[in-house]
Every structure is written in C-alpha cells, then in structure tokens.
Amino acid sequence: MIRVLAAAAATVVLAASPAASGGRGAALTVAATSVQPRSSSAAIGWQTSARAKVVVAYGLTDDFGVWSKPQLGTSGQALLAGLEPNTTYRYRVIAGSGSSRAESRGAFTTGPIAQWTTATTTANALFLDWQPFFPRMVWRACPSDFAASIAVGINLFMGSCVSGQAQLTALSGKAYSVLDAHQSAGVDGRGLVGWYQPDEADDSGAALASLPTAKQSRRVSFITLSNHFFSGANPLPQGNPSYPKLIAPVDSVGFDLYPLQIWCRTDAFQAVFQAQRELTALAAGKPTFQWIEAATWNGCAGRRRSPTPQTVKAETWLAIAGGARGIGYFPYYWPTAIGRQIASINDDITALAPALLAPEAPVATVGAGVYAGARSFDGARYVIAVNATLKTTRATITLPGLGSTVGWVYGESRSVPVRSGTFTDSFAPLAVHIYVIAPPGW
C-alpha cells in the first residue's frame, strides 16, 4: 500500500514493504506511521508488532548511509537532523527482536529554504535554523552561472560578481549566500547566512570589517586564509601574521592550498589532509573548510598538473577526513567531466552530512600514503580513507574500542570484516573508500 501525505510543504511517499525472517509465532512487522519533514530535518514515526529494537537508515539512494540512534519499544519516533532543503531522501525503518528482522521503506522530500535564516556555529558545524549544515561552495560566481552550480549540488554562494542584494534576488531561496563584509552593510534577504572577510587576508594585509557578533545578528562571518599557516608551507615574504588574532573575530575559518595549481606538484596531495588537521587545531572550537582546485588556471598547469575528476575527489575527501566541515570548489567553472564528479561528490556529502558533521572518533592507519578520519554518530562509526599517492597500496585501519563486526563500503556494494576494531583494504591510486559501521547489533 502507498500513502501520499502532505507535511511541512513537502510531498511524502510512504512505501510500506515489511519483510521479516526467523523467530517463532507471528512474524515481526514494522511500519512507518508518519513522516514529518521540514526544511532541514524530519521526524519518522514507527510502530512494530512486538517489542523490538528499531533504527532508521537514511540517505539519497538505497545505499542509505546514515543510521539513527537505536530505540527500544513497540512505537516511537526517529528525529533526522542536518538534512538538505528541497531534497528527496530515502529511508528504511529496521526492527529487530532476537533473530527476527523486519523493515519498511519509503521516501520524503524536505521543504524549501526558510524566508529568514538563523545562523550560528559550534566546534563541529555551521548551524542553519538550528540544524547542522555542510556548505558546498563556490567563490564569486555570476548569476548566469548560478543554475549550473546548483545543478551539481552547490548549496552556498560565497559572494558573486554583482551586489549583495542582487545576489540574493537572483538566487531567490534556491541556495544560501555569504556576502562581502565590506560591501553589504544593511543588506538582508532570503538565504543570507552571513559575511566573508577579504580573501587571503593573511597574505594581503587587508583590514577585517567590523561586524556584529553572531549572537547579536544571528548571522556568521567567514575568512579564507592562504596556506602559509601550514608548517609544510613556506612563510610569507613579509613574515606570517598572528593567525590566532586573524581567526578570533570570525566564526568559520577556511584556506586554499592547491597542490597542483599553486605548488605545481603531483606528490603533495597528503598536504591537503595535513594542513586541514593543522587548521582544525588552530581554529580550536570553530568549524573549518577548504577550497579544492577544480580547473586549470595557473602557469604551472600541464597535462600532469591539471585537476582531473580523480584529483578533485581525492582532495575533497582528504580535506573532509582531515576535519573540514565545509568544502569549496575553485574556480566556479570547470570541465564537464569534473562537473560530473563534483555532482557525485556532493550527492555523497549530502547523504552522509549528519555523520560528517559529528564529533571526530579516534582512528589509526598503517599503510604508505593512506590518510583517514573517523566520526561517531548515534552509535555508528564512519571512516573516510584516501590514498594520497599515485600508486596502488594496502592499508590497515584501526578504530580503538570497536569489537568485531562488518564495515560496509559506502557506494561500492561490498563489505570488509572488522576484527577487534581493525580491518585491511586495498587502494588504487588516489582512491577514496568510505566505511560505515552500523550501531552494535545491526
């Protein structure tokens, strides 16, 4: 049976398809009794035929990806936070009692961006309307390029080639905006998140604009640094500034490194991860982001030093593994093949965002050139592992405190056995593997 419900200005489709196995007597069944989506969250009510442990897995495809916190009973409600506006999610409600299992699947669509956005930050994330949000950005695109960027999953525009008010008007709630702090005083409108400070202010010496605090304005400020804070980069000719003083007035801190287009190197992708780790520590309690090179623009470009779909994917996930809570792609135009890759990356980020914005979990790797980061969210573990080299390799990954279980490799239709918190996997050159380890008992 299919029921179509209207909730929070969104169409909700409940496709109940219970399936049970094992157990004695009547088969265990579970059904989604209600779905209540909003712009960036949803509540799914559930009911079982007998007392059971219940979780909800959700995402953009049948890979799902994110697990809700397990609950015990015959009815309840799962709260799904950190969702994307105007996005269709798939879910499955899974019930277990002893050896019996049952599930019910469905889909829902979140509502549009609100007319006015409240923004704030925590150490782990930018929060919009009190929900964690993973920004996927471009820098100073023109309105004629907005539609193409939105089509590949860009959800926040940091400035544009027109005035701040014209930017808000052109986007009209299709994505969020961050405006120039020096040119947008008094500007407000739908989708406004906050302001950005002068680009690479550490290098240019530009003065930071005086802005209301996030607490006063319910908006946030951003700054993008050059890579010179990084211990693996050369200091600026004029000497490095006091980075703690630059970071103190803002709410979210990012940087650009660009190993191919600025460093002109094909052997330095690991710096994307390493610099991100250093910025995360330097920012101490503020969410960080990183810009990823997505096209050729510099004089050192050549066949081996031009970004490719493979390098864009590897750099993006190295940054996230290193602690980035937002990603930007620079410039805002790119070859068609890279655009397809960015769309795929952004789909995966959207599907996994609630977990990617969760607190970090300890992880250790043994294997030449493989770097990993982990998150813990509602009892599940998530591991992002990337081969930063151009050679095939193997790596052993350990999650302290985890027992023996199975790790599902997101989007790859395979799993790896986990023994005493440790597993081993193979990595092609610049390969990315994302492992999802369900809550205990699932």
Side-chain angles (χ1 to χ4, degrees):
M1 180 179 70
I2 297 178
R3 291 189 294 162
V4 180
L5 305 180
T11 299
V12 182
V13 179
L14 295 185
S17 54
S21 62
R24 294 182 177 181
L28 176 68
T29 61
V30 63
T33 56
S34 65
V35 178
Q36 298 173 322
R38 298 181 182 274
S39 293
S40 52
S41 64
I44 297 182
W46 54 266
Q47 187 170 22
T48 61
S49 59
R51 186 175 174 83
K53 185 182 288 187
V54 176
V55 294
V56 176
Y58 56 102
L60 301 190
T61 68
D62 284 344
D63 285 318
F64 300 103
V66 179
W67 294 73
S68 72
K69 187 176 182 179
Q71 301 177 67
L72 184 64
T74 57
S75 63
Q77 185 179 73
L79 302 177
L80 315 183
L83 306 183
E84 191 91 5
N86 295 314
T87 301
T88 297
Y89 286 83
R90 301 182 65 80
Y91 70 87
R92 57 177 179 156
V93 185
I94 311 166
S97 178
S99 60
S100 296
R101 289 288 186 272
E103 71 173 57
S104 179
R105 298 192 179 202
F108 62 87
T109 300
T110 52
I113 290 174
Q115 291 295 324
W116 199 89
T117 298
T118 295
T120 186
T121 58
T122 68
N124 291 321
L126 168 66
F127 274 67
L128 302 184
D129 297 323
W130 317 114
Q131 294 295 324
F133 177 79
F134 198 110
R136 305 182 303 276
M137 304 174 284
V138 289
W139 168 256
R140 292 187 61 82
C142 291
S144 59
D145 298 293
F146 285 174
S149 294
I150 292 169
V152 299
I154 299 303
N155 60 9
L156 189 152
F157 289 80
M158 189 169 285
S160 70
C161 67
V162 296
S163 71
Q165 193 61 63
Q167 176 179 335
L168 296 176
T169 300
L171 284 170
S172 188
K174 298 181 181 70
Y176 293 100
S177 291
V178 175
L179 304 181
D180 188 327
H182 285 272
Q183 299 177 5
S184 302
V187 175
D188 204 350
R190 188 176 183 185
L192 179 62
V193 170
W195 302 270
Y196 66 86
Q197 298 291 348
D199 190 40
E200 295 190 349
D202 55 329
D203 192 358
S204 66
L208 301 189
S210 177
L211 290 171
T213 65
K215 183 177 181 181
Q216 292 172 327
S217 66
R218 295 188 178 179
R219 296 281 165 69
V220 294
S221 58
F222 298 75
I223 193 170
T224 295
L225 304 174
S226 72
N227 62 59
H228 295 286
F229 71 90
F230 174 41
S231 62
N234 293 326
L236 291 165
Q238 68 270 29
N240 284 348
S242 171
Y243 282 104
K245 287 184 178 180
L246 274 175
I247 291 171
V250 300
D251 302 295
S252 185
V253 187
F255 74 103
D256 45 50
L257 188 141
Y258 309 143
L260 294 172
Q261 291 293 282
I262 296 298
W263 285 8
C264 302
R265 293 174 59 180
T266 60
D267 62 346
F269 293 110
Q270 72 279 357
V272 172
F273 176 91
Q274 294 165 342
Q276 182 63 57
R277 297 302 296 166
E278 290 190 17
L279 183 67
T280 300
L282 186 64
K286 298 181 179 183
T288 60
F289 57 93
Q290 186 173 163
W291 294 92
I292 305 301
E293 52 192 344
T296 300
W297 77 85
N298 203 18
C300 65
R303 191 174 67 86
R304 295 191 62 211
R305 295 192 179 98
S306 294
T308 67
Q310 190 179 30
T311 65
V312 171
K313 182 176 181 179
E315 287 187 35
T316 300
W317 289 105
L318 280 165
I320 295 172
R325 305 306 173 112
I327 289 292
Y329 303 97
F330 181 83
Y332 62 82
Y333 51 85
W334 38 67
T336 300
I338 288 180
R340 287 195 294 266
Q341 181 69 277
I342 288 173
S344 176
I345 294 167
N346 287 342
D347 279 350
D348 290 342
I349 292 175
T350 300
L352 297 169
L356 299 178
L357 296 172
E360 292 195 25
V363 61
T365 59
V366 177
V370 173
Y371 296 82
R375 310 284 191 271
S376 178
F377 182 66
D378 280 350
R381 302 278 189 99
Y382 303 82
V383 180
I384 307 107
V386 186
N387 179 7
T389 76
L390 301 178
K391 298 180 180 179
T392 299
T393 188
R394 287 182 65 80
T396 298
I397 298 171
T398 300
L399 295 166
L402 187 68
S404 296
T405 181
V406 173
W408 298 99
V409 191
Y410 182 78
E412 297 187 32
S413 300
R414 66 185 181 94
S415 62
V416 294
V418 181
R419 297 183 176 87
S420 300
T422 298
F423 60 92
T424 300
D425 205 358
S426 297
F427 291 78
L430 298 180
V432 177
H433 298 318
I434 302 171
Y435 306 93
V436 180
I437 301 168
W442 298 98

